[in-house]
Amino acid sequence: MERNNWFFSIFLLIFLSVFLIFGCKENVLGQDSLSFGSLEEISLFRPLKKEGAKDLELKSQSYLSVLIDHGKEKIFLEKNSDKKVYIASLTKMMTAVIALENYSLEDQIAISKKAIDTFGIAGEFREGEIFSVKDLLYILLVESSNDAAEALAEKIGRENFVSLMNQKAQELEMENTVFLNPSGLDFDPKEENQSTARDLKKLMVYIINNHPLIPEILSIYEMEMYHQGQLHHKMRSTNVLLNEDSLYLWGKTGYTEKAMDCIALVMRRPFSSDPNSYIINIIIGAPNRFQEARMMEQWLKESFYW
């Protein structure tokens, strides 16, 4: 009798163990409120797309939404992500990379008449003013100043600077990218920068891993620029989303008639503070970049268990 009780106890113990193991996993996969699943078990399966959640259709020519999680990638959404398109001022992310990798932040650059004559007034420069590379990077990225882009390129010669932009693109395996100017302007058919959403994602990951100053600057919505101890002008970002939602860490906008509205954004992963797990959203050729970015963000929040 005691022997039978002993066998029964072992059988019951095994049955309960199996029930708990498989029951917990089923619960993790099937419900948003969890009873037994540990945090480690949950992280193995998430983000999970909700049953019945539909894919998002945007009007943009090209877009890509991808989770970068400790070096691994999960694509949520894409359309024409390998199609070459005009990228307007998204170019300036590469301009900043080349400046950082070839100049000292304290280097001084005189603003030329040629730089000032570039299309656009952002930067409010006057001929002969001298700015540090660091200040020009803030003006380049916060205001998206074309004049600042040209001034940075002129330091080593515009042709040499653009050549370095293309060399870096090759190094990063941005196979469908060509740079012909440092600003992204495309009025001249001989100077039309083109890239793809997937190539720009590679550039942004490189920036995050190697140049923290660029995300730091591109997270700023407003700031005052001082020059020689006096207020030169007040800068405001072209990216209004920075002033709307705490999930947006940083981003860069662009616009020309050929490129239409463009935006590249880095979002914090919902319900996470892990700096090595983030989302990159890139939208190119949109009728309204901010509207479509908001739609993409909302879709990500509502369509997945995070």
Side-chain angles (χ1 to χ4, degrees):
M1 186 70 176
E2 291 179 357
R3 184 182 182 89
N4 290 337
N5 288 339
W6 184 73
F7 277 118
F8 177 78
S9 298
I10 293 177
F11 173 80
L12 183 61
L13 181 61
I14 293 173
F15 175 80
L16 288 173
S17 299
V18 171
F19 174 79
L20 286 174
I21 292 171
F22 287 96
C24 288
K25 288 185 177 180
E26 183 178 356
N27 195 43
V28 169
L29 287 168
Q31 298 182 23
D32 197 27
S33 60
L34 306 170
S35 301
F36 300 104
S38 69
L39 291 176
E40 290 182 344
E41 286 176 318
I42 296 166
S43 66
L44 292 174
F45 299 105
R46 298 198 175 197
L48 281 175
K49 193 170 184 181
K50 294 180 180 178
E51 186 178 352
K54 297 180 179 179
D55 285 342
L56 179 67
E57 287 289 338
L58 299 177
K59 296 179 181 178
S60 309
Q61 294 179 16
S62 173
Y63 50 82
L64 176 67
S65 178
V66 56
L67 172 69
I68 310 295
D69 186 26
H70 294 263
K72 297 180 181 179
E73 298 185 4
K74 176 183 176 67
I75 294 175
F76 296 121
L77 204 63
E78 64 178 324
K79 173 186 173 184
N80 296 330
S81 57
D82 290 313
K83 180 181 179 180
K84 290 178 71 171
V85 289
Y86 301 115
I87 58 172
S89 286
L90 300 186
T91 294
K92 293 183 175 80
M93 293 189 289
M94 179 63 87
T95 304
V97 168
I98 299 307
L100 284 169
E101 295 186 354
N102 291 275
Y103 306 153
S104 166
L105 290 176
E106 290 72 36
D107 286 350
Q108 302 293 301
I109 296 178
I111 305 300
S112 70
K113 182 179 184 303
K114 187 174 182 180
I116 293 174
D117 287 343
T118 306
F119 178 81
I121 61 172
E124 301 183 26
F125 295 114
R126 290 175 284 276
E127 185 179 354
E129 287 182 320
I130 298 175
F131 283 84
S132 69
V133 167
K134 185 175 183 179
D135 284 347
L136 286 176
L137 284 172
Y138 275 85
I139 296 170
L140 172 81
L141 297 174
V142 174
E143 293 183 278
S144 199
S145 169
N146 298 322
D147 298 0
E150 292 292 340
L152 286 165
E154 285 177 357
K155 179 173 171 57
I156 56 172
R158 192 176 190 268
E159 186 175 338
N160 289 335
F161 192 94
V162 173
S163 177
L164 289 172
M165 293 172 73
N166 286 302
Q167 288 179 33
K168 178 58 69 172
Q170 292 177 6
E171 177 186 320
L172 299 180
E173 299 182 353
M174 298 170 66
E175 299 173 354
N176 294 304
T177 297
V178 59
F179 294 108
L180 295 171
N181 67 67
S183 67
L185 292 174
D186 52 22
F187 304 142
D188 185 345
K190 297 178 181 178
E191 290 201 355
E192 297 174 336
N193 295 344
Q194 290 185 298
S195 186
T196 70
R198 196 181 309 278
D199 279 1
L200 290 171
K201 180 266 298 179
K202 294 177 183 178
L203 174 60
M204 295 173 75
V205 171
Y206 177 78
I207 287 171
I208 290 168
N209 292 335
N210 295 277
H211 293 296
L213 181 60
I214 295 175
E216 179 182 324
I217 296 173
L218 285 173
S219 70
I220 295 169
Y221 182 63
E222 286 183 331
M223 70 171 291
E224 294 178 336
M225 173 55 62
Y226 283 84
H227 180 248
Q228 297 180 345
Q230 295 184 341
L231 178 64
H232 189 269
H233 68 287
K234 188 172 184 177
M235 301 189 295
R236 175 171 289 182
S237 174
T238 53
N239 182 8
V240 300
L241 296 179
L242 295 176
N243 205 36
E244 290 184 8
D245 195 313
S246 60
L247 277 185
Y248 294 115
L249 297 173
W250 60 276
K252 182 74 192 78
T253 62
Y255 173 80
T256 65
E257 287 188 7
K258 290 180 180 178
M260 300 177 64
D261 269 5
C262 308
I263 193 164
L265 293 162
V266 177
M267 279 178 53
R268 185 179 293 108
R269 176 175 175 154
F271 310 109
S272 173
S273 58
D274 185 350
N276 295 309
S277 189
Y278 54 89
I279 298 168
I280 291 177
N281 291 338
I282 298 171
I283 296 170
I284 305 172
N288 186 318
R289 62 196 174 203
F290 300 125
Q291 182 183 51
E292 298 218 338
R294 292 183 189 106
M295 290 170 63
M296 186 177 281
E297 179 198 3
Q298 193 69 19
W299 179 82
L300 286 168
K301 288 178 179 176
E302 295 178 352
S303 300
F304 292 86
Y305 294 110
W306 292 94

